[in-house]
Amino acid sequence: MHEWALAEAVISAILTVAKEKGAKEITETKIKIGNLQQIEADILTTAFRELVKNTPLEKTEIKLEVEEAYLKCKVCGIEWNFKDAMSTLRGEESEAIHFVPELAHAFIRCPRCGSPDFEVTRGRGIWIEYIKVSK
Amino acid sequence: MDRVHKSFKVRALDPRSAIINERLKNAKRIFVVLGGKGGVGKSLIATMFSLMLAKRGHSVGLLDLDFHGLSCHIILGAKGMMPTEKKGIIPPEVHGIKLMSVAYYIGDEPLPLRGTEISDAFVELLAITRWGRIDYLIVDAPPGMGEEVLDIIRLMKRSEFLIVTTPSSLALKTVSRLTRLLLEAKVPILGVVENMRITETKLVEEYAKKSDIEYLGSVLFDYNLEECLGNPKKLLETKFARNIKNVARKIL
């Protein structure tokens, strides 16, 4: 599953930052997942649980939060929720966006003017909101 | 001693860049084929290099990063295949080459991307693609000095750069700027290839000498190349392939 690759990337990033900050222990972290990528939170949680074994993150509390994705047309300025576009996507198109969110530009058009020139204003990808450590 | 507990915001830290070198660590060498202008033959040279290396028994990955001009899959005649999803994505093998391209997902749909989106797509693709052990990763870069090239310099640390140009003063002018960028970035330049040569000229050779980069040879314009696209067996028998073989000798 693709979620495993992302979980691996998150763990690698947290460990790098914790090392830079000279942390003895990483107590808590919050990961935000943008809805555009349609990441399965359950699979991601399973991946984290497996991948943190025998790492300094083994006892870290990992919090996940999903953020709604919004798209904004660069031509007419309308903003819309990605959820509205999801029903128009075919399975393989949805899967493509799951792997590389920018591929949305190949399949989604502005609901008002039909332009493919839009930006993702919120809810793209996966990112680390904060890391709590003890020194 | 009491521990100090501290929480810090990491300003929406993007975790993907951290994993890229891990994904590429089992690629022995990384060659990036790039040029100042479009249409100078970068994709054909990158793909031909990949085919030759695979034919010699090397394990080869080919990454098409020219999002606005995806071509490698057409040159190789890759049809009806998709990457496999397994804790990331594993590129399918096309004529012995592990080819990764977003063309698998978008088919013939246009992909209008702006700067930061190109960078995001680049990082995402590198963060999730699992190449496994490969001897060579060949990267087909888009023309110019945009997002992809800057991200290659920033994130693909072991890259070696192969510059492609035609023997035209217009193409060379942009190559000159590109070369300066690479030199300033202190990245290894394998040399410059003169492609699509029709008449006798020393333009590129003299430019290479003046710029202190290696001249890797010329590739003559091959009028039969077009009809071989999509057919790797035929491609390997072209005059173009024979010329590229001479270039390859100098860098392998």
Side-chain angles (χ1 to χ4, degrees):
Chain A
M1 289 289 173
H2 166 241
E3 281 78 358
W4 284 74
L6 296 173
E8 213 178 321
V10 168
I11 290 168
S12 176
I14 294 173
L15 291 176
T16 305
V17 173
K19 198 175 170 189
E20 280 169 11
K21 300 276 179 185
K24 274 191 181 165
E25 200 183 338
I26 306 147
T27 51
E28 187 185 312
T29 183
K30 186 173 180 184
I31 314 297
K32 285 190 112 175
I33 314 166
N35 193 37
L36 180 63
Q37 204 159 6
Q38 306 148 69
I39 293 166
E40 300 261 1
D42 289 352
I43 301 173
L44 194 67
T45 306
T46 308
F48 277 133
R49 208 175 290 141
E50 285 300 313
L51 293 170
V52 296
K53 283 180 184 166
N54 303 316
T55 77
L57 287 170
E58 199 159 14
K59 289 178 182 167
T60 306
E61 188 185 350
I62 300 175
K63 293 182 172 175
L64 291 182
E65 189 182 307
V66 178
E67 184 177 275
E68 297 261 299
Y70 283 86
L71 314 175
K72 187 176 182 185
C73 181
K74 289 266 193 188
V75 178
C76 74
I78 192 179
E79 193 168 22
W80 73 101
N81 192 319
F82 171 65
K83 269 187 194 163
D84 304 336
M86 271 175 79
S87 58
T88 64
L89 294 171
R90 290 183 296 163
E92 61 269 28
E93 293 170 345
S94 202
E95 192 178 78
I97 298 168
H98 171 61
F99 289 124
V100 181
E102 284 61 43
L103 300 186
H105 288 274
F107 310 118
I108 294 174
R109 298 289 179 265
C110 168
R112 185 155 76 187
C113 73
S115 171
D117 186 11
F118 56 82
E119 62 179 323
V120 182
T121 53
R122 270 178 288 165
R124 188 233 171 268
I126 182 167
W127 62 100
I128 302 159
E129 187 81 350
Y130 66 77
I131 302 170
K132 281 184 184 174
V133 298
S134 66
K135 287 191 172 182
Chain B
M1 198 168 79
D2 283 343
R3 283 181 177 177
V4 180
H5 289 270
K6 199 177 172 189
S7 165
F8 53 90
K9 286 253 179 197
V10 281
R11 290 187 188 173
L13 176 70
D14 181 345
R16 300 167 303 165
S17 308
I19 202 75
I20 289 177
N21 279 321
E22 173 69 22
R23 297 279 182 255
L24 298 175
K25 75 174 183 191
N26 291 323
K28 284 183 193 161
R29 290 184 80 179
I30 302 171
F31 290 169
V32 178
V33 181
L34 76 175
K37 275 192 174 292
V40 296
K42 294 179 297 298
S43 301
L44 268 161
I45 289 179
T47 310
M48 184 54 79
F49 254 98
S50 306
L51 279 169
M52 280 179 175
L53 289 165
K55 202 182 166 198
R56 287 184 195 180
H58 296 293
S59 51
V60 183
L62 175 60
L63 174 62
D64 195 340
L65 282 182
D66 189 356
F67 296 128
H68 291 147
L70 298 162
S71 305
C72 296
H73 65 294
I74 301 169
I75 299 167
L76 286 173
K79 281 180 193 154
M81 43 187 73
M82 286 297 279
T84 318
E85 189 180 355
K86 196 177 177 187
K87 294 186 176 177
I89 48 176
I90 299 168
E93 281 211 13
V94 187
H95 300 283
I97 299 164
K98 293 179 180 180
L99 172 67
M100 191 60 215
S101 167
V102 295
Y104 294 124
Y105 299 111
I106 62 166
D108 292 328
E109 296 294 330
L111 186 62
L113 298 179
R114 287 173 180 269
T116 51
E117 293 165 336
I118 292 176
S119 193
D120 267 327
F122 169 97
V123 173
E124 196 77 38
L125 206 57
L126 282 172
I128 63 173
T129 305
R130 290 181 177 271
W131 296 98
R133 284 189 186 284
I134 48 174
D135 295 317
Y136 295 94
L137 175 62
I138 312 292
V139 181
D140 181 21
M145 289 160 272
E147 301 291 338
E148 299 92 330
V149 172
L150 294 174
D151 279 334
I152 290 168
I153 294 171
R154 181 171 68 98
L155 297 168
M156 299 176 76
K157 295 296 182 194
R158 290 181 298 112
S159 297
E160 300 168 72
F161 293 81
L162 179 77
I163 302 167
V164 179
T165 186
T166 54
S168 147
S169 53
L170 294 177
L172 269 177
K173 202 74 188 163
T174 56
V175 158
S176 163
R177 293 193 186 99
L178 179 64
T179 306
R180 278 176 56 192
L181 172 82
L182 298 176
L183 290 170
E184 280 178 31
K186 296 184 175 59
V187 293
I189 301 174
L190 293 163
V192 59
V193 181
E194 177 184 7
N195 194 23
M196 299 188 205
R197 192 165 91 169
I198 299 171
T199 54
E200 275 297 318
T201 165
K202 292 274 182 195
L203 204 62
V204 179
E205 200 172 347
E206 281 166 6
Y207 163 74
K209 201 173 171 187
K210 192 179 76 186
S211 308
D212 203 22
I213 57 174
E214 192 169 354
Y215 174 68
L216 298 169
S218 65
V219 179
L220 302 178
F221 192 94
D222 187 343
Y223 292 94
N224 299 318
L225 200 54
E226 183 68 23
E227 65 192 47
C228 302
L229 296 179
N231 187 335
K233 194 169 174 284
K234 271 187 167 181
L235 275 170
L236 282 163
E237 290 163 0
T238 56
K239 187 169 70 182
F240 174 77
R242 286 196 295 278
N243 287 166
I244 292 288
K245 199 181 268 184
N246 291 332
V247 171
R249 269 196 206 110
K250 294 186 178 170
I251 59 172
L252 297 177

